[in-house]
Amino acid sequence: MEIDKIIIPSSCYNEIVEHGKSNLPYEVCGLLSGNNNKVQSVWKLKNEIKSDRRFFVGKKIIEETLLQMAKHKEKVIAIYHSHPTTAAIPSSYDIANHLNLDVIMIIISYKTNNPKVKCYRVQTGTYKTFPFSIEPTS
Ligand SMILES: [Zn+2]
């Protein structure tokens, strides 16, 4: 199903921003899952190369995480990663290595004091910003 916007509960939003912040100066990444366009769970992944510019997660870990999601009756919606020192714009490496074109890319930038979060729809060789909203959680 083609979606035109994703909804992120504020608890999940805070969790991914905190995940990136607590691992500075290294990059982090993870997956967001849920149903349709609504995020329900955050899956933090281990960066298999400790780097401030790149992340790498092996196929095995991704596959295991997707299996866990399926057990929770959820599907992958987005993949997120952090940019410790650069703007929240996909690099050519990010675009070339994107998981799957149906999966939304989220980048959290810590370039400035206030972390910036951006969502993108990646297309072959390019990308465009993708709308998201943060839903208050009690
Ligand atoms: Zn990146």
Side-chain angles (χ1 to χ4, degrees):
M1 191 186 77
E2 185 85 3
I3 54 167
D4 56 7
K5 180 190 181 177
I6 57 172
I7 299 163
I8 308 173
S10 58
S11 56
C12 293
Y13 181 86
N14 293 338
E15 194 177 342
I16 64 172
V17 171
E18 194 50 46
H19 182 208
K21 200 174 173 182
S22 61
N23 283 275
L24 288 173
Y26 301 111
E27 269 201 33
V28 298
C29 68
L31 297 169
L32 298 178
S33 68
N35 282 295
N36 300 321
N37 65 340
K38 198 175 167 192
V39 171
Q40 289 170 286
S41 311
V42 176
W43 307 80
K44 293 172 187 171
L45 299 175
K46 190 176 182 300
N47 190 351
E48 291 176 29
I49 48 165
K50 251 198 172 179
S51 166
D52 57 354
R53 314 220 144 218
R54 267 176 201 193
F55 66 87
F56 176 79
V57 179
K59 266 211 163 102
K60 193 164 179 272
I61 290 185
I62 299 261
E63 278 165 11
E64 280 168 5
T65 309
L66 295 178
L67 261 167
Q68 289 300 316
M69 276 177 199
K71 279 187 193 161
H72 286 79
K73 299 197 174 13
E74 292 180 21
K75 283 184 186 146
V76 61
I77 295 175
I79 184 162
Y80 69 90
H81 73 281
S82 60
H83 280 183
T85 57
T86 57
I89 297 166
S91 65
S92 48
Y93 175 88
D94 291 339
I95 294 164
N97 292 283
H98 189 55
L99 187 63
N100 178 315
L101 298 183
D102 292 329
V103 176
I104 300 301
M105 179 187 285
I106 297 177
I107 300 177
I108 313 153
S109 166
Y110 299 88
K111 191 185 176 189
T112 54
N113 281 341
N114 277 332
K116 278 203 175 65
V117 177
K118 295 242 177 169
C119 280
Y120 299 96
R121 164 77 77 191
V122 177
Q123 290 154 325
T124 312
T126 185
Y127 63 88
K128 61 178 181 191
T129 55
F130 191 81
F132 71 100
S133 63
I134 300 161
E135 193 181 74
T137 38
S138 48

PDB file of all heavy atoms in Angstrom, residues 65-103:
ATOM      1  N   THR A  65      15.234  -9.200  12.707  1.00  0.00           N
ATOM      2  CA  THR A  65      14.363  -8.136  13.219  1.00  0.00           C
ATOM      3  C   THR A  65      13.013  -8.153  12.511  1.00  0.00           C
ATOM      4  O   THR A  65      11.970  -8.002  13.149  1.00  0.00           O
ATOM      5  CB  THR A  65      15.054  -6.766  13.060  1.00  0.00           C
ATOM      6  OG1 THR A  65      16.367  -6.849  13.610  1.00  0.00           O
ATOM      7  CG2 THR A  65      14.290  -5.675  13.784  1.00  0.00           C
ATOM      8  N   LEU A  66      13.032  -8.388  11.190  1.00  0.00           N
ATOM      9  CA  LEU A  66      11.772  -8.448  10.437  1.00  0.00           C
ATOM     10  C   LEU A  66      10.900  -9.614  10.921  1.00  0.00           C
ATOM     11  O   LEU A  66       9.678  -9.501  10.996  1.00  0.00           O
ATOM     12  CB  LEU A  66      12.040  -8.563   8.929  1.00  0.00           C
ATOM     13  CG  LEU A  66      12.723  -7.353   8.271  1.00  0.00           C
ATOM     14  CD1 LEU A  66      12.975  -7.608   6.795  1.00  0.00           C
ATOM     15  CD2 LEU A  66      11.916  -6.072   8.442  1.00  0.00           C
ATOM     16  N   LEU A  67      11.567 -10.722  11.301  1.00  0.00           N
ATOM     17  CA  LEU A  67      10.832 -11.875  11.835  1.00  0.00           C
ATOM     18  C   LEU A  67      10.149 -11.538  13.160  1.00  0.00           C
ATOM     19  O   LEU A  67       8.997 -11.894  13.395  1.00  0.00           O
ATOM     20  CB  LEU A  67      11.798 -13.038  12.056  1.00  0.00           C
ATOM     21  CG  LEU A  67      11.825 -14.090  10.960  1.00  0.00           C
ATOM     22  CD1 LEU A  67      13.033 -15.002  11.135  1.00  0.00           C
ATOM     23  CD2 LEU A  67      10.548 -14.916  10.997  1.00  0.00           C
ATOM     24  N   GLN A  68      10.907 -10.833  14.017  1.00  0.00           N
ATOM     25  CA  GLN A  68      10.348 -10.405  15.305  1.00  0.00           C
ATOM     26  C   GLN A  68       9.137  -9.492  15.092  1.00  0.00           C
ATOM     27  O   GLN A  68       8.130  -9.595  15.783  1.00  0.00           O
ATOM     28  CB  GLN A  68      11.409  -9.667  16.134  1.00  0.00           C
ATOM     29  CG  GLN A  68      12.501 -10.563  16.685  1.00  0.00           C
ATOM     30  CD  GLN A  68      11.956 -11.643  17.603  1.00  0.00           C
ATOM     31  OE1 GLN A  68      11.101 -11.403  18.451  1.00  0.00           O
ATOM     32  NE2 GLN A  68      12.424 -12.868  17.415  1.00  0.00           N
ATOM     33  N   MET A  69       9.268  -8.597  14.123  1.00  0.00           N
ATOM     34  CA  MET A  69       8.160  -7.682  13.797  1.00  0.00           C
ATOM     35  C   MET A  69       6.919  -8.461  13.389  1.00  0.00           C
ATOM     36  O   MET A  69       5.815  -8.166  13.824  1.00  0.00           O
ATOM     37  CB  MET A  69       8.537  -6.805  12.600  1.00  0.00           C
ATOM     38  CG  MET A  69       9.327  -5.608  12.954  1.00  0.00           C
ATOM     39  SD  MET A  69       9.736  -4.780  11.406  1.00  0.00           S
ATOM     40  CE  MET A  69      11.088  -3.798  12.012  1.00  0.00           C
ATOM     41  N   ALA A  70       7.147  -9.453  12.514  1.00  0.00           N
ATOM     42  CA  ALA A  70       6.028 -10.263  12.020  1.00  0.00           C
ATOM     43  C   ALA A  70       5.325 -10.957  13.184  1.00  0.00           C
ATOM     44  O   ALA A  70       4.096 -11.062  13.200  1.00  0.00           O
ATOM     45  CB  ALA A  70       6.529 -11.280  11.002  1.00  0.00           C
ATOM     46  N   LYS A  71       6.102 -11.393  14.176  1.00  0.00           N
ATOM     47  CA  LYS A  71       5.509 -12.020  15.368  1.00  0.00           C
ATOM     48  C   LYS A  71       4.605 -11.046  16.101  1.00  0.00           C
ATOM     49  O   LYS A  71       3.638 -11.430  16.753  1.00  0.00           O
ATOM     50  CB  LYS A  71       6.614 -12.519  16.311  1.00  0.00           C
ATOM     51  CG  LYS A  71       7.177 -13.855  15.898  1.00  0.00           C
ATOM     52  CD  LYS A  71       8.142 -14.379  16.953  1.00  0.00           C
ATOM     53  CE  LYS A  71       8.957 -15.547  16.410  1.00  0.00           C
ATOM     54  NZ  LYS A  71      10.163 -15.776  17.203  1.00  0.00           N
ATOM     55  N   HIS A  72       4.967  -9.770  16.050  1.00  0.00           N
ATOM     56  CA  HIS A  72       4.152  -8.720  16.689  1.00  0.00           C
ATOM     57  C   HIS A  72       3.064  -8.212  15.742  1.00  0.00           C
ATOM     58  O   HIS A  72       2.426  -7.203  16.026  1.00  0.00           O
ATOM     59  CB  HIS A  72       5.037  -7.545  17.107  1.00  0.00           C
ATOM     60  CG  HIS A  72       5.872  -7.830  18.316  1.00  0.00           C
ATOM     61  ND1 HIS A  72       7.027  -8.567  18.271  1.00  0.00           N
ATOM     62  CD2 HIS A  72       5.711  -7.465  19.617  1.00  0.00           C
ATOM     63  CE1 HIS A  72       7.546  -8.648  19.490  1.00  0.00           C
ATOM     64  NE2 HIS A  72       6.773  -7.996  20.314  1.00  0.00           N
ATOM     65  N   LYS A  73       2.926  -8.875  14.584  1.00  0.00           N
ATOM     66  CA  LYS A  73       1.967  -8.467  13.558  1.00  0.00           C
ATOM     67  C   LYS A  73       2.187  -7.017  13.116  1.00  0.00           C
ATOM     68  O   LYS A  73       1.260  -6.234  12.946  1.00  0.00           O
ATOM     69  CB  LYS A  73       0.526  -8.670  14.041  1.00  0.00           C
ATOM     70  CG  LYS A  73       0.216 -10.129  14.362  1.00  0.00           C
ATOM     71  CD  LYS A  73      -1.265 -10.357  14.422  1.00  0.00           C
ATOM     72  CE  LYS A  73      -1.710 -11.793  14.589  1.00  0.00           C
ATOM     73  NZ  LYS A  73      -0.727 -12.797  14.967  1.00  0.00           N
ATOM     74  N   GLU A  74       3.454  -6.681  12.977  1.00  0.00           N
ATOM     75  CA  GLU A  74       3.804  -5.343  12.490  1.00  0.00           C
ATOM     76  C   GLU A  74       4.704  -5.477  11.274  1.00  0.00           C
ATOM     77  O   GLU A  74       5.347  -6.501  11.084  1.00  0.00           O
ATOM     78  CB  GLU A  74       4.527  -4.548  13.592  1.00  0.00           C
ATOM     79  CG  GLU A  74       3.604  -4.206  14.752  1.00  0.00           C
ATOM     80  CD  GLU A  74       4.312  -3.420  15.844  1.00  0.00           C
ATOM     81  OE1 GLU A  74       5.356  -2.805  15.584  1.00  0.00           O
ATOM     82  OE2 GLU A  74       3.792  -3.429  16.976  1.00  0.00           O
ATOM     83  N   LYS A  75       4.721  -4.397  10.491  1.00  0.00           N
ATOM     84  CA  LYS A  75       5.565  -4.373   9.297  1.00  0.00           C
ATOM     85  C   LYS A  75       6.523  -3.201   9.384  1.00  0.00           C
ATOM     86  O   LYS A  75       6.215  -2.180  10.011  1.00  0.00           O
ATOM     87  CB  LYS A  75       4.695  -4.202   8.042  1.00  0.00           C
ATOM     88  CG  LYS A  75       4.008  -5.481   7.642  1.00  0.00           C
ATOM     89  CD  LYS A  75       3.243  -5.271   6.339  1.00  0.00           C
ATOM     90  CE  LYS A  75       2.434  -6.513   6.009  1.00  0.00           C
ATOM     91  NZ  LYS A  75       1.182  -6.170   5.358  1.00  0.00           N
ATOM     92  N   VAL A  76       7.644  -3.329   8.688  1.00  0.00           N
ATOM     93  CA  VAL A  76       8.613  -2.237   8.696  1.00  0.00           C
ATOM     94  C   VAL A  76       8.030  -1.033   7.942  1.00  0.00           C
ATOM     95  O   VAL A  76       7.429  -1.173   6.878  1.00  0.00           O
ATOM     96  CB  VAL A  76       9.984  -2.692   8.129  1.00  0.00           C
ATOM     97  CG1 VAL A  76       9.891  -3.159   6.695  1.00  0.00           C
ATOM     98  CG2 VAL A  76      11.010  -1.592   8.271  1.00  0.00           C
ATOM     99  N   ILE A  77       8.151   0.136   8.558  1.00  0.00           N
ATOM    100  CA  ILE A  77       7.666   1.372   7.925  1.00  0.00           C
ATOM    101  C   ILE A  77       8.850   2.253   7.524  1.00  0.00           C
ATOM    102  O   ILE A  77       8.889   2.790   6.427  1.00  0.00           O
ATOM    103  CB  ILE A  77       6.740   2.158   8.890  1.00  0.00           C
ATOM    104  CG1 ILE A  77       5.469   1.344   9.186  1.00  0.00           C
ATOM    105  CG2 ILE A  77       6.390   3.537   8.302  1.00  0.00           C
ATOM    106  CD1 ILE A  77       4.552   1.978  10.223  1.00  0.00           C
ATOM    107  N   ALA A  78       9.806   2.361   8.435  1.00  0.00           N
ATOM    108  CA  ALA A  78      10.915   3.277   8.180  1.00  0.00           C
ATOM    109  C   ALA A  78      12.209   2.745   8.772  1.00  0.00           C
ATOM    110  O   ALA A  78      12.194   1.932   9.703  1.00  0.00           O
ATOM    111  CB  ALA A  78      10.611   4.644   8.778  1.00  0.00           C
ATOM    112  N   ILE A  79      13.309   3.204   8.197  1.00  0.00           N
ATOM    113  CA  ILE A  79      14.632   2.936   8.767  1.00  0.00           C
ATOM    114  C   ILE A  79      15.211   4.293   9.144  1.00  0.00           C
ATOM    115  O   ILE A  79      15.085   5.259   8.390  1.00  0.00           O
ATOM    116  CB  ILE A  79      15.535   2.145   7.792  1.00  0.00           C
ATOM    117  CG1 ILE A  79      16.871   1.793   8.441  1.00  0.00           C
ATOM    118  CG2 ILE A  79      15.743   2.860   6.448  1.00  0.00           C
ATOM    119  CD1 ILE A  79      17.645   0.672   7.738  1.00  0.00           C
ATOM    120  N   TYR A  80      15.790   4.384  10.342  1.00  0.00           N
ATOM    121  CA  TYR A  80      16.370   5.668  10.752  1.00  0.00           C
ATOM    122  C   TYR A  80      17.858   5.503  10.997  1.00  0.00           C
ATOM    123  O   TYR A  80      18.329   4.428  11.329  1.00  0.00           O
ATOM    124  CB  TYR A  80      15.665   6.228  11.993  1.00  0.00           C
ATOM    125  CG  TYR A  80      15.898   5.461  13.283  1.00  0.00           C
ATOM    126  CD1 TYR A  80      16.958   5.782  14.136  1.00  0.00           C
ATOM    127  CD2 TYR A  80      15.047   4.421  13.659  1.00  0.00           C
ATOM    128  CE1 TYR A  80      17.164   5.087  15.325  1.00  0.00           C
ATOM    129  CE2 TYR A  80      15.247   3.721  14.840  1.00  0.00           C
ATOM    130  CZ  TYR A  80      16.310   4.058  15.669  1.00  0.00           C
ATOM    131  OH  TYR A  80      16.515   3.366  16.843  1.00  0.00           O
ATOM    132  N   HIS A  81      18.581   6.591  10.807  1.00  0.00           N
ATOM    133  CA  HIS A  81      19.974   6.622  11.233  1.00  0.00           C
ATOM    134  C   HIS A  81      20.340   8.048  11.578  1.00  0.00           C
ATOM    135  O   HIS A  81      19.620   8.988  11.251  1.00  0.00           O
ATOM    136  CB  HIS A  81      20.906   6.001  10.180  1.00  0.00           C
ATOM    137  CG  HIS A  81      21.135   6.821   8.952  1.00  0.00           C
ATOM    138  ND1 HIS A  81      20.229   6.899   7.922  1.00  0.00           N
ATOM    139  CD2 HIS A  81      22.183   7.612   8.587  1.00  0.00           C
ATOM    140  CE1 HIS A  81      20.714   7.685   6.969  1.00  0.00           C
ATOM    141  NE2 HIS A  81      21.894   8.144   7.347  1.00  0.00           N
ATOM    142  N   SER A  82      21.446   8.180  12.297  1.00  0.00           N
ATOM    143  CA  SER A  82      21.830   9.508  12.763  1.00  0.00           C
ATOM    144  C   SER A  82      22.969  10.074  11.936  1.00  0.00           C
ATOM    145  O   SER A  82      23.763   9.328  11.364  1.00  0.00           O
ATOM    146  CB  SER A  82      22.238   9.438  14.239  1.00  0.00           C
ATOM    147  OG  SER A  82      23.333   8.561  14.394  1.00  0.00           O
ATOM    148  N   HIS A  83      23.011  11.384  11.879  1.00  0.00           N
ATOM    149  CA  HIS A  83      24.142  12.116  11.307  1.00  0.00           C
ATOM    150  C   HIS A  83      24.740  12.938  12.445  1.00  0.00           C
ATOM    151  O   HIS A  83      24.222  14.002  12.768  1.00  0.00           O
ATOM    152  CB  HIS A  83      23.677  13.032  10.165  1.00  0.00           C
ATOM    153  CG  HIS A  83      23.461  12.328   8.865  1.00  0.00           C
ATOM    154  ND1 HIS A  83      23.095  12.985   7.709  1.00  0.00           N
ATOM    155  CD2 HIS A  83      23.584  11.019   8.528  1.00  0.00           C
ATOM    156  CE1 HIS A  83      23.003  12.101   6.723  1.00  0.00           C
ATOM    157  NE2 HIS A  83      23.271  10.903   7.198  1.00  0.00           N
ATOM    158  N   PRO A  84      25.799  12.418  13.069  1.00  0.00           N
ATOM    159  CA  PRO A  84      26.342  13.118  14.245  1.00  0.00           C
ATOM    160  C   PRO A  84      26.805  14.545  13.955  1.00  0.00           C
ATOM    161  O   PRO A  84      26.652  15.415  14.799  1.00  0.00           O
ATOM    162  CB  PRO A  84      27.510  12.227  14.675  1.00  0.00           C
ATOM    163  CG  PRO A  84      27.138  10.862  14.178  1.00  0.00           C
ATOM    164  CD  PRO A  84      26.443  11.115  12.866  1.00  0.00           C
ATOM    165  N   THR A  85      27.362  14.790  12.772  1.00  0.00           N
ATOM    166  CA  THR A  85      27.943  16.117  12.533  1.00  0.00           C
ATOM    167  C   THR A  85      27.451  16.790  11.256  1.00  0.00           C
ATOM    168  O   THR A  85      27.828  17.919  10.975  1.00  0.00           O
ATOM    169  CB  THR A  85      29.490  16.030  12.445  1.00  0.00           C
ATOM    170  OG1 THR A  85      29.827  15.093  11.412  1.00  0.00           O
ATOM    171  CG2 THR A  85      30.105  15.569  13.751  1.00  0.00           C
ATOM    172  N   THR A  86      26.642  16.087  10.472  1.00  0.00           N
ATOM    173  CA  THR A  86      26.206  16.684   9.206  1.00  0.00           C
ATOM    174  C   THR A  86      24.689  16.883   9.195  1.00  0.00           C
ATOM    175  O   THR A  86      23.981  16.358  10.055  1.00  0.00           O
ATOM    176  CB  THR A  86      26.616  15.800   7.997  1.00  0.00           C
ATOM    177  OG1 THR A  86      26.066  14.488   8.186  1.00  0.00           O
ATOM    178  CG2 THR A  86      28.123  15.681   7.876  1.00  0.00           C
ATOM    179  N   ALA A  87      24.210  17.639   8.228  1.00  0.00           N
ATOM    180  CA  ALA A  87      22.782  17.949   8.121  1.00  0.00           C
ATOM    181  C   ALA A  87      21.959  16.688   7.842  1.00  0.00           C
ATOM    182  O   ALA A  87      22.498  15.665   7.416  1.00  0.00           O
ATOM    183  CB  ALA A  87      22.565  18.974   7.013  1.00  0.00           C
ATOM    184  N   ALA A  88      20.659  16.799   8.068  1.00  0.00           N
ATOM    185  CA  ALA A  88      19.749  15.649   7.895  1.00  0.00           C
ATOM    186  C   ALA A  88      19.382  15.441   6.430  1.00  0.00           C
ATOM    187  O   ALA A  88      18.213  15.465   6.044  1.00  0.00           O
ATOM    188  CB  ALA A  88      18.498  15.839   8.746  1.00  0.00           C
ATOM    189  N   ILE A  89      20.408  15.277   5.611  1.00  0.00           N
ATOM    190  CA  ILE A  89      20.210  15.089   4.170  1.00  0.00           C
ATOM    191  C   ILE A  89      20.872  13.772   3.771  1.00  0.00           C
ATOM    192  O   ILE A  89      21.998  13.502   4.196  1.00  0.00           O
ATOM    193  CB  ILE A  89      20.845  16.266   3.385  1.00  0.00           C
ATOM    194  CG1 ILE A  89      20.138  17.570   3.772  1.00  0.00           C
ATOM    195  CG2 ILE A  89      20.803  16.025   1.879  1.00  0.00           C
ATOM    196  CD1 ILE A  89      20.864  18.815   3.332  1.00  0.00           C
ATOM    197  N   PRO A  90      20.179  12.932   2.998  1.00  0.00           N
ATOM    198  CA  PRO A  90      20.777  11.646   2.628  1.00  0.00           C
ATOM    199  C   PRO A  90      22.057  11.831   1.816  1.00  0.00           C
ATOM    200  O   PRO A  90      22.110  12.672   0.922  1.00  0.00           O
ATOM    201  CB  PRO A  90      19.706  10.976   1.760  1.00  0.00           C
ATOM    202  CG  PRO A  90      18.446  11.721   2.002  1.00  0.00           C
ATOM    203  CD  PRO A  90      18.836  13.108   2.418  1.00  0.00           C
ATOM    204  N   SER A  91      23.074  11.053   2.138  1.00  0.00           N
ATOM    205  CA  SER A  91      24.302  11.083   1.354  1.00  0.00           C
ATOM    206  C   SER A  91      24.122  10.143   0.164  1.00  0.00           C
ATOM    207  O   SER A  91      23.179   9.345   0.136  1.00  0.00           O
ATOM    208  CB  SER A  91      25.473  10.610   2.220  1.00  0.00           C
ATOM    209  OG  SER A  91      25.289   9.257   2.581  1.00  0.00           O
ATOM    210  N   SER A  92      25.046  10.212  -0.795  1.00  0.00           N
ATOM    211  CA  SER A  92      24.941   9.299  -1.939  1.00  0.00           C
ATOM    212  C   SER A  92      25.093   7.854  -1.458  1.00  0.00           C
ATOM    213  O   SER A  92      24.468   6.938  -1.990  1.00  0.00           O
ATOM    214  CB  SER A  92      25.972   9.652  -3.007  1.00  0.00           C
ATOM    215  OG  SER A  92      27.227   9.816  -2.416  1.00  0.00           O
ATOM    216  N   TYR A  93      25.901   7.660  -0.399  1.00  0.00           N
ATOM    217  CA  TYR A  93      26.053   6.328   0.208  1.00  0.00           C
ATOM    218  C   TYR A  93      24.710   5.855   0.774  1.00  0.00           C
ATOM    219  O   TYR A  93      24.304   4.715   0.573  1.00  0.00           O
ATOM    220  CB  TYR A  93      27.118   6.390   1.311  1.00  0.00           C
ATOM    221  CG  TYR A  93      27.279   5.106   2.103  1.00  0.00           C
ATOM    222  CD1 TYR A  93      28.155   4.104   1.673  1.00  0.00           C
ATOM    223  CD2 TYR A  93      26.575   4.899   3.282  1.00  0.00           C
ATOM    224  CE1 TYR A  93      28.309   2.932   2.396  1.00  0.00           C
ATOM    225  CE2 TYR A  93      26.717   3.721   4.012  1.00  0.00           C
ATOM    226  CZ  TYR A  93      27.592   2.742   3.562  1.00  0.00           C
ATOM    227  OH  TYR A  93      27.730   1.591   4.291  1.00  0.00           O
ATOM    228  N   ASP A  94      24.016   6.765   1.490  1.00  0.00           N
ATOM    229  CA  ASP A  94      22.706   6.418   2.066  1.00  0.00           C
ATOM    230  C   ASP A  94      21.733   5.959   0.978  1.00  0.00           C
ATOM    231  O   ASP A  94      21.017   4.968   1.144  1.00  0.00           O
ATOM    232  CB  ASP A  94      22.077   7.632   2.760  1.00  0.00           C
ATOM    233  CG  ASP A  94      22.823   8.026   4.028  1.00  0.00           C
ATOM    234  OD1 ASP A  94      23.538   7.177   4.584  1.00  0.00           O
ATOM    235  OD2 ASP A  94      22.669   9.194   4.460  1.00  0.00           O
ATOM    236  N   ILE A  95      21.701   6.696  -0.121  1.00  0.00           N
ATOM    237  CA  ILE A  95      20.741   6.395  -1.192  1.00  0.00           C
ATOM    238  C   ILE A  95      21.102   5.071  -1.873  1.00  0.00           C
ATOM    239  O   ILE A  95      20.243   4.227  -2.093  1.00  0.00           O
ATOM    240  CB  ILE A  95      20.699   7.553  -2.210  1.00  0.00           C
ATOM    241  CG1 ILE A  95      20.125   8.803  -1.530  1.00  0.00           C
ATOM    242  CG2 ILE A  95      19.856   7.189  -3.433  1.00  0.00           C
ATOM    243  CD1 ILE A  95      20.372  10.071  -2.286  1.00  0.00           C
ATOM    244  N   ALA A  96      22.401   4.897  -2.123  1.00  0.00           N
ATOM    245  CA  ALA A  96      22.846   3.676  -2.807  1.00  0.00           C
ATOM    246  C   ALA A  96      22.600   2.427  -1.962  1.00  0.00           C
ATOM    247  O   ALA A  96      22.393   1.341  -2.491  1.00  0.00           O
ATOM    248  CB  ALA A  96      24.318   3.795  -3.174  1.00  0.00           C
ATOM    249  N   ASN A  97      22.633   2.586  -0.625  1.00  0.00           N
ATOM    250  CA  ASN A  97      22.519   1.428   0.258  1.00  0.00           C
ATOM    251  C   ASN A  97      21.165   1.318   0.949  1.00  0.00           C
ATOM    252  O   ASN A  97      21.014   0.563   1.902  1.00  0.00           O
ATOM    253  CB  ASN A  97      23.627   1.464   1.316  1.00  0.00           C
ATOM    254  CG  ASN A  97      24.980   1.235   0.681  1.00  0.00           C
ATOM    255  OD1 ASN A  97      25.330   0.115   0.344  1.00  0.00           O
ATOM    256  ND2 ASN A  97      25.717   2.315   0.460  1.00  0.00           N
ATOM    257  N   HIS A  98      20.195   2.081   0.489  1.00  0.00           N
ATOM    258  CA  HIS A  98      18.896   2.047   1.152  1.00  0.00           C
ATOM    259  C   HIS A  98      18.281   0.653   1.053  1.00  0.00           C
ATOM    260  O   HIS A  98      18.328  -0.001   0.013  1.00  0.00           O
ATOM    261  CB  HIS A  98      17.973   3.109   0.526  1.00  0.00           C
ATOM    262  CG  HIS A  98      16.703   3.298   1.278  1.00  0.00           C
ATOM    263  ND1 HIS A  98      16.692   3.602   2.614  1.00  0.00           N
ATOM    264  CD2 HIS A  98      15.407   3.221   0.898  1.00  0.00           C
ATOM    265  CE1 HIS A  98      15.427   3.706   3.015  1.00  0.00           C
ATOM    266  NE2 HIS A  98      14.636   3.474   1.989  1.00  0.00           N
ATOM    267  N   LEU A  99      17.703   0.245   2.175  1.00  0.00           N
ATOM    268  CA  LEU A  99      17.138  -1.095   2.343  1.00  0.00           C
ATOM    269  C   LEU A  99      16.163  -1.500   1.248  1.00  0.00           C
ATOM    270  O   LEU A  99      16.279  -2.560   0.650  1.00  0.00           O
ATOM    271  CB  LEU A  99      16.448  -1.107   3.718  1.00  0.00           C
ATOM    272  CG  LEU A  99      15.898  -2.394   4.278  1.00  0.00           C
ATOM    273  CD1 LEU A  99      17.015  -3.390   4.505  1.00  0.00           C
ATOM    274  CD2 LEU A  99      15.176  -2.113   5.593  1.00  0.00           C
ATOM    275  N   ASN A 100      15.181  -0.656   1.018  1.00  0.00           N
ATOM    276  CA  ASN A 100      14.066  -1.023   0.148  1.00  0.00           C
ATOM    277  C   ASN A 100      13.311   0.266  -0.164  1.00  0.00           C
ATOM    278  O   ASN A 100      13.075   1.074   0.735  1.00  0.00           O
ATOM    279  CB  ASN A 100      13.185  -1.998   0.950  1.00  0.00           C
ATOM    280  CG  ASN A 100      11.952  -2.446   0.201  1.00  0.00           C
ATOM    281  OD1 ASN A 100      11.247  -1.648  -0.417  1.00  0.00           O
ATOM    282  ND2 ASN A 100      11.660  -3.717   0.275  1.00  0.00           N
ATOM    283  N   LEU A 101      12.923   0.446  -1.418  1.00  0.00           N
ATOM    284  CA  LEU A 101      12.294   1.718  -1.805  1.00  0.00           C
ATOM    285  C   LEU A 101      10.929   1.948  -1.150  1.00  0.00           C
ATOM    286  O   LEU A 101      10.445   3.072  -1.105  1.00  0.00           O
ATOM    287  CB  LEU A 101      12.182   1.831  -3.332  1.00  0.00           C
ATOM    288  CG  LEU A 101      13.521   1.824  -4.100  1.00  0.00           C
ATOM    289  CD1 LEU A 101      13.290   2.006  -5.585  1.00  0.00           C
ATOM    290  CD2 LEU A 101      14.476   2.891  -3.580  1.00  0.00           C
ATOM    291  N   ASP A 102      10.317   0.884  -0.635  1.00  0.00           N
ATOM    292  CA  ASP A 102       9.033   1.055   0.067  1.00  0.00           C
ATOM    293  C   ASP A 102       9.221   1.548   1.494  1.00  0.00           C
ATOM    294  O   ASP A 102       8.262   1.915   2.162  1.00  0.00           O
ATOM    295  CB  ASP A 102       8.271  -0.279   0.126  1.00  0.00           C
ATOM    296  CG  ASP A 102       7.804  -0.714  -1.248  1.00  0.00           C
ATOM    297  OD1 ASP A 102       7.517   0.164  -2.077  1.00  0.00           O
ATOM    298  OD2 ASP A 102       7.750  -1.936  -1.477  1.00  0.00           O
ATOM    299  N   VAL A 103      10.450   1.495   1.969  1.00  0.00           N
ATOM    300  CA  VAL A 103      10.729   1.881   3.357  1.00  0.00           C
ATOM    301  C   VAL A 103      11.156   3.347   3.390  1.00  0.00           C
ATOM    302  O   VAL A 103      11.994   3.773   2.604  1.00  0.00           O
ATOM    303  CB  VAL A 103      11.836   0.961   3.947  1.00  0.00           C
ATOM    304  CG1 VAL A 103      12.215   1.385   5.352  1.00  0.00           C
ATOM    305  CG2 VAL A 103      11.373  -0.493   3.934  1.00  0.00           C
TER     306      VAL A 103
END
